[in-house]
Amino acid sequence: MDRAAALATDLRRRGITDVLDDSTSRALHSSDASLYRVPPLLVARPRSAEEVATAVELCARHEIPLTARGGGTSVAGNAVGPGLVLDFSRHLNQVLRVDPEARTAVVQPGVVQAALQRAAAPYGLRFGPDPSTHTRCTIGGMIGNNACGSRTLGYGRTSDNVAGLKAVAGDGTALDLPAQAAPTALGLPGQGAPAAMSLGTSAAPGLPAQGITVALRDLVMADLATIRTEFGRFGRQMSGYALEHLLPERGFDVARLLVGSEGTLAVLTEATVRLVTDPAHRALVVLGYSDIAAAGDAAPAVLEHRPTACEGIDARIVDVVRLRRGPGAVPPLPRGAAWLFVEVAGDDRAEVLERATRVAAGGEDALIVTDPAEAAALWRIREDGAGLSGRSPAGRPAHAGWEDAAVPPEMLGRYLRDFEALLAGHGLTGLPYGHFGDGCLHIRLDVPLDRPGGRARFRDFLVAAATLVAGYGGSLSGEHGDGRARSELLPLMYSPAAIDLFAGVKAIFDPGDVLNPGVLVRPRPLDADLRVPAARPVRAGLALAYRHDGGDFGQAVHRCTGVGKCRADNTAAGGVMCPSYLATREEKDSTRGRARVLQEMINGSDVTGGWRSPEVHEALDLCLSCKGCASDCPTGIDMAAYKSEVLHQTYKGRVRPLTHYSLGRLPRWARLASRMPRAANALMRVPGLPALAGVDRRRGLPKFAPETFRAWFERRRPADGGRGEEEGRPVMLFVDTFTDHFAPEIGRATVKVLEAAGYRPRISERRQCCALTWISTGQLDAARAILGRTVAELAEAAGQGVPIVGMEPSCTAVLRSDALELLDEAVAGPVARMTRTLAELLTGTPGWRPPPLDGVTVVAQPHCHHHAVMGWEQDLRLLREAGAQVSRLGGCCGLAGNFGVEKGHYDVSVAVAEHQLLPAIREAAPGTAVLADGFSCRTQIADLSARRGTHLAQLLADRLP
């Protein structure tokens, strides 16, 4: 029996039942949000503190490393390891209690920061630290890294907000540690008298229970000078162990020492954290400067005004937000090429405004914003830009590794100038931004790791950058931890005596080097275990072009940097990604999980079957091909495209699954059915027949219309008093299969609306198809041929400047997006550029006004492809201008074309619908319009509720005179 099997057997024998030893799970946990790839032997998901202690004990006995993992959002490689990975996010993810009087909460390590905020909010409380990953990072991970965020100036670091920890040391000792209070700018409780440390009984061989505290005191007292002179010099000194907390004058605070120790000393089982109240009033001051270094120079003076946040960005990040999100994503800014975003807050509105005015006086140009919505739009520049920094200004993949260095704030301007010169000298670019009030700079760099010599360039730059930051008295890490990326560089920042102290602390807590080895003490080389250099390019024989990835499928799937936004619930803000993860809460059903498995497929060392690997198909099975990730993922992953490619490569020249022939070729069967629609509908009602076609028996099937839309259009004559054939501006209707054969009433409504708007609709002479069903089932050769004929048919209208209006969002999205991947861009581009949604055409029509919708309440379910490819902003604008009260839902309807119809997918399909769509429909008042332009969405609504969805064209047409 090998080591992994022996450990798995012992774990299960001791009662830990959720142990994953399959290759899919190993692939899923082989990386975090860092550059590093370290496949584990096993993954276990503990359900209790006792299971955690058992895992530590058994790993020590088997001499197998143990790495704790929360949301897997570490960008320094802190959450990957070669032995057992303990994933806390699955089970140990609860807020156990909130004490509003004491202003504390007791949480398990796997609770997501946003979930803690929701639990605290009813009491008017919140957890202070707010990292950008707050929607998916866990409190355990925040404690491991000593996470901070934008408002550290006001709320402090995680270490300032911890009231107590329970953990298991590497030698098995159970720890129960209170922490000292730490003052912050907003007046968290001040430093109190030292609290007693409680150590439980030793659960495994090692030091006696009280031995840890005795050994730590001896270690500290032997070298007070080193600790007093090298540690705790400024707020963002996060590299190494925070030994300053062990000083006698700081109360010998072992709990705060563990915060930021990156899981190398003990494994957390429970935390008590402090909560704070939000100030009653906030004001945002945006200050403009000539360049980013000038903004850095100005940051120290801002601190005199006690801001809660002082963030810096420059024109590079603003430009990329405009490029990727559109000009409207960037509200007007003060003059300059760099900006400080300064937030001041307090309970006295007049005092807050007075401080804001004083802050504004320090800028070259300034803007004061007190409206929360306007402030949120400005903050979104910073948030979106940070998410988009995975691509450099040069358009290359940009990597972590040197993404959060910090210097004392008074040194920031000078450091920025030298850092820019260092980048230029190494031929690298990135998008700089950061917590300028704290002296912390974030940047991802386009180191060419995928090219020969890339690994050496990575090492050379990191050594040079570490030397530079150490020369300014700074820290290699300002909030992300050192991990595998920077631990090797610690001797450039600390003296040999300090490095020896780190080793001494590690030996006291974890004498067997079981916990997260290779991090902080006896570090792995910073250029070992890099994920990107281990990936080979995949260019030959691909069906899709991967235009933005140099034609390389490998580069496309490596767009995923692991930030984990797909594990967050983004639906409240109108997001879609990732519906399958929200339904199952399994990593393999997230966009990140699928990307990791595909990356391992390309690597070929753990997932060895290529395109037909069972691991790949298991991970992709519940992908709805919703394309939500294409717009919602900061790095632009398009898992729907990757799934199509995998299915194409797997089944090319082979027998396919039954549904590829039945549902995947639906337009052909619909055309046949249109000759005898009544007979076709009767046939579909024959018991058992749909099941033979791969359809879940619980699904209702839509009926074929007695008359197609094309038939109606071709026999139609202008009504009396209507427009003649030559009147009105021409517009080409793209007649899709769903509108034509199942919902011709939508086509008729579209014609009515367009004619009322002064247009003359026309349709192509021959039936056309976008090949969507072939694309989603990976029949890409056929899709290319079908779509090629369609684009050729529409090319004449596009060349004449005639807009092409799609009625079915998924088919419209094919013309706008997928066609450019399947066909030559010179051919598909003109059609893509002239294709519009109905709302886009109408809102862009000079002088057009919508029919009044005053008093109409709308619950809107945008189609996922509509959201991802075209955007739904113009639809929302149209409805609001018409006077409607609109509630826009996020997430997917769950049907997603053929997905929710197929056997094996029904339960997940319903679970996805239950996330937002079905509850919103049940809560909607009678008479509320349920707006759903997508045929799949309307089908799902009809199948799972008593309501019926309506198309935008129908909503408008019904209110025309």
Side-chain angles (χ1 to χ4, degrees):
M1 184 182 295
D2 63 21
R3 298 171 71 219
L7 177 59
T9 297
D10 278 358
L11 289 168
R12 292 178 177 123
R13 185 180 293 133
R14 293 283 296 275
I16 303 177
T17 57
D18 197 353
V19 178
L20 308 173
D21 53 6
D22 59 288
S23 53
T24 301
S25 297
R26 292 196 301 271
L28 295 172
H29 294 83
S30 63
S31 194
D32 45 18
S34 73
L35 281 171
Y36 297 93
R37 171 189 174 270
V38 185
L41 292 176
L42 295 168
V43 177
R45 303 188 293 191
R47 290 183 166 87
S48 67
E50 291 74 22
E51 289 192 5
V52 174
T54 298
V56 173
E57 174 196 338
L58 292 176
C59 282
R61 181 183 303 169
H62 286 265
E63 297 183 340
I64 289 177
L66 184 152
T67 299
R69 180 182 175 112
T73 56
S74 162
V75 294
N78 328 55
V80 292
L84 174 68
V85 168
L86 278 189
D87 184 345
F88 285 85
S89 66
R90 181 64 177 172
H91 303 301
L92 288 175
N93 56 13
Q94 299 300 306
V95 177
L96 300 178
R97 57 185 175 275
V98 175
D99 185 338
E101 298 299 321
R103 294 187 179 180
T104 60
V106 179
V107 301
Q108 294 176 322
V111 69
V112 171
Q113 193 264 16
L116 173 56
Q117 303 293 43
R118 289 193 293 272
Y123 305 101
L125 300 171
R126 57 164 289 162
F127 184 57
D130 60 343
S132 60
T133 54
H134 63 92
T135 57
R136 62 269 191 197
C137 73
T138 63
I139 298 298
M142 293 179 67
I143 289 169
N145 288 357
N146 199 6
C148 298
S150 298
R151 294 182 172 85
T152 305
L153 295 172
Y155 298 125
R157 307 158 300 181
T158 297
S159 58
D160 302 318
N161 291 272
V162 166
L165 301 177
K166 292 183 180 180
V168 180
D171 72 341
T173 300
L175 308 175
D176 188 351
L177 308 170
Q180 306 298 319
T184 70
L186 290 186
L188 287 175
Q191 188 100 354
M197 179 175 70
S198 169
L199 290 164
T201 58
S202 180
L207 291 168
Q210 294 297 326
I212 287 180
T213 183
V214 172
L216 281 177
R217 286 187 189 278
D218 289 346
L219 185 73
V220 170
M221 297 306 291
D223 203 350
L224 288 171
T226 297
I227 299 174
R228 284 174 173 148
T229 56
E230 295 192 38
F231 293 88
R233 293 176 290 106
F234 70 106
R236 288 301 184 102
Q237 183 182 347
M238 300 295 184
S239 284
Y241 294 132
L243 299 183
E244 68 273 15
H245 297 304
L246 296 182
L247 289 169
E249 59 266 31
R250 297 215 183 188
F252 193 71
D253 195 333
V254 180
R256 293 180 72 191
L257 165 72
L258 290 185
V259 179
S261 61
E262 304 183 35
T264 63
L265 304 180
V267 181
L268 185 70
T269 59
E270 185 179 288
T272 302
V273 297
R274 295 188 176 92
L275 304 175
V276 297
T277 56
D278 262 334
H281 303 283
R282 297 182 186 273
L284 173 63
V285 185
V286 184
L287 304 170
Y289 299 93
S290 57
D291 59 40
I292 197 167
D297 290 334
V302 169
L303 301 182
E304 299 172 7
H305 306 292
R306 296 177 291 112
T308 54
C310 178
E311 301 290 288
I313 63 173
D314 79 350
R316 284 167 285 191
I317 211 164
V318 171
D319 290 344
V320 78
V321 171
R322 284 196 182 105
L323 179 66
R324 289 282 300 275
R325 299 283 190 249
V330 178
L333 293 167
R335 294 187 307 276
W339 298 269
L340 290 180
F341 282 40
V342 182
E343 182 183 83
V344 292
D347 292 327
D348 184 325
R349 186 174 187 275
E351 188 272 338
V352 168
L353 292 177
E354 189 272 332
R355 268 193 293 142
T357 302
R358 284 191 278 122
V359 170
E364 298 170 13
D365 192 19
L367 172 70
I368 298 177
V369 178
T370 56
D371 179 77
E374 293 179 21
L378 287 161
W379 278 117
R380 202 168 297 121
I381 302 172
R382 158 72 167 80
E383 294 164 4
D384 287 352
L388 297 172
S389 65
R391 289 268 154 169
S392 74
R396 292 273 304 157
H399 305 294
W402 190 256
E403 78 296 323
D404 75 323
V407 297
E410 63 271 18
M411 302 285 191
L412 182 59
R414 282 176 285 167
Y415 169 70
L416 286 170
R417 292 181 182 89
D418 285 347
F419 185 71
E420 293 274 13
L422 183 67
L423 288 177
H426 284 259
L428 302 176
T429 64
L431 302 174
Y433 63 98
H435 314 300
F436 279 23
D438 298 290
C440 183
L441 179 71
H442 290 316
I443 189 168
R444 287 176 177 262
L445 301 172
D446 55 359
V447 183
L449 290 171
D450 57 338
R451 297 177 184 175
R455 191 190 301 263
R457 288 185 65 182
F458 179 67
R459 168 172 285 278
D460 290 346
F461 177 80
L462 259 63
V463 170
T467 302
L468 174 64
V469 82
Y472 276 97
S475 179
L476 312 180
S477 170
E479 64 180 337
H480 296 159
D482 297 307
R484 294 169 182 270
R486 292 176 285 273
S487 292
E488 185 191 353
L489 302 171
L490 288 172
L492 296 175
M493 176 181 166
Y494 289 110
S495 70
I499 299 298
D500 288 344
L501 284 168
F502 294 161
V505 171
K506 174 75 168 174
I508 291 169
F509 281 93
D510 184 26
D513 202 16
V514 172
L515 303 182
N516 221 5
V519 173
L520 293 177
V521 175
R522 293 178 291 279
R524 288 280 289 165
L526 60 86
D527 52 356
D529 309 315
L530 292 174
R531 174 168 35 86
V532 174
R536 59 182 176 85
V538 181
R539 293 190 175 93
L542 297 174
L544 300 177
Y546 304 101
R547 297 171 297 133
H548 303 299
D549 295 292
D552 183 358
F553 180 80
Q555 184 172 313
V557 299
H558 276 88
R559 278 177 172 266
C560 178
T561 58
V563 295
K565 189 177 179 182
C566 50
R567 285 172 55 101
D569 186 351
N570 307 294
T571 56
V576 169
M577 178 182 74
C578 175
S580 55
Y581 176 78
L582 293 178
T584 70
R585 299 290 173 174
E586 290 283 356
E587 176 76 11
K588 75 175 178 63
D589 300 322
S590 69
T591 307
R592 180 178 73 179
R594 295 180 178 116
R596 289 293 179 250
V597 174
L598 289 170
Q599 290 165 8
E600 289 299 302
M601 178 197 82
I602 292 169
N603 178 279
S605 59
D606 209 31
V607 176
T608 58
W611 299 105
R612 295 195 293 278
S613 300
E615 299 92 338
V616 170
H617 288 266
E618 179 187 5
L620 290 173
D621 178 51
L622 295 184
C623 173
L624 286 79
S625 296
C626 68
K627 282 188 177 290
C629 49
S631 60
D632 296 355
C633 173
T635 63
I637 283 282
D638 186 353
M639 196 54 64
Y642 308 159
K643 181 176 182 178
S644 293
E645 186 75 63
V646 168
L647 293 174
H648 169 79
Q649 299 292 345
T650 299
Y651 296 111
K652 187 175 181 180
R654 297 180 178 87
V655 176
R656 289 176 166 271
L658 183 59
T659 53
H660 288 200
Y661 300 105
S662 57
L663 302 173
R665 300 180 182 181
L666 177 65
R668 288 183 179 173
W669 313 133
R671 190 172 298 183
L672 289 173
S674 68
R675 300 173 183 175
M676 296 181 292
R678 290 187 178 84
N681 289 330
L683 189 64
M684 289 196 301
R685 291 195 296 272
V686 174
L689 187 60
L692 292 177
V695 175
D696 190 285
R697 60 179 176 77
R698 292 166 287 185
R699 274 290 172 200
L701 294 175
K703 294 182 179 180
F704 293 100
E707 180 183 44
T708 67
F709 169 72
R710 292 187 70 93
W712 172 83
F713 192 92
E714 288 166 357
R715 69 174 175 77
R716 175 180 177 269
R717 292 187 178 89
D720 291 344
R723 297 184 180 274
E725 285 295 324
E726 301 304 317
E727 293 185 53
R729 291 162 287 189
V731 60
M732 173 68 73
L733 290 184
F734 176 62
V735 184
D736 61 273
T737 296
F738 305 103
T739 302
D740 195 22
H741 294 280
F742 296 100
E745 66 277 8
I746 287 170
R748 296 193 292 268
T750 303
V751 169
K752 182 177 180 180
V753 171
L754 289 174
E755 288 182 343
Y759 286 97
R760 175 166 48 89
R762 68 190 201 210
I763 64 174
S764 61
E765 293 183 10
R766 292 182 291 274
R767 295 178 186 270
Q768 299 302 334
C769 178
C770 71
L772 173 66
T773 58
W774 280 270
I775 293 170
S776 62
T777 52
Q779 302 179 72
L780 297 182
D781 288 336
R784 181 178 295 104
I786 295 166
L787 188 54
R789 291 192 293 270
T790 296
V791 168
E793 182 81 12
L794 298 173
E796 181 180 357
Q800 295 171 349
V802 175
I804 301 163
V805 172
M807 296 176 281
E808 166 58 37
S810 57
C811 301
T812 309
V814 170
L815 297 181
R816 287 269 283 264
S817 176
D818 301 79
L820 298 169
E821 288 291 320
L822 279 164
L823 305 174
D824 190 289
E825 191 164 353
V827 174
V831 171
R833 288 188 288 273
M834 290 307 299
T835 300
R836 306 281 188 274
T837 66
L838 179 63
E840 287 174 336
L841 181 74
L842 293 175
T843 56
T845 300
W848 180 81
R849 297 289 299 170
L853 296 175
D854 301 286
V856 176
T857 301
V858 175
V859 171
Q861 173 67 48
H863 190 284
C864 297
H865 293 192
H866 196 154
H867 161 84
V869 177
M870 288 84 72
W872 202 71
E873 291 73 20
Q874 295 305 317
D875 298 70
L876 182 61
R877 173 188 160 194
L878 185 158
L879 291 166
R880 286 180 172 168
E881 288 182 353
Q885 297 295 314
V886 184
S887 173
R888 174 185 177 173
L889 304 181
C892 180
C893 73
L895 190 65
N898 57 297
F899 173 85
V901 178
E902 294 175 345
K903 291 178 182 177
H905 292 165
Y906 180 83
D907 291 334
V908 170
S909 174
V910 174
V912 171
E914 283 289 359
H915 188 72
Q916 264 210 344
L917 174 60
L918 294 180
I921 288 176
R922 286 192 289 266
E923 293 168 8
T928 298
V930 180
L931 185 65
D933 283 2
F935 178 73
S936 289
C937 306
R938 295 192 303 275
T939 301
Q940 181 83 315
I941 291 167
D943 213 29
L944 301 180
S945 79
R947 304 292 284 266
R948 293 296 178 266
T950 190
H951 192 281
L952 176 64
Q954 294 173 298
L955 189 65
L956 297 176
D958 287 348
R959 285 154 182 82
L960 288 172

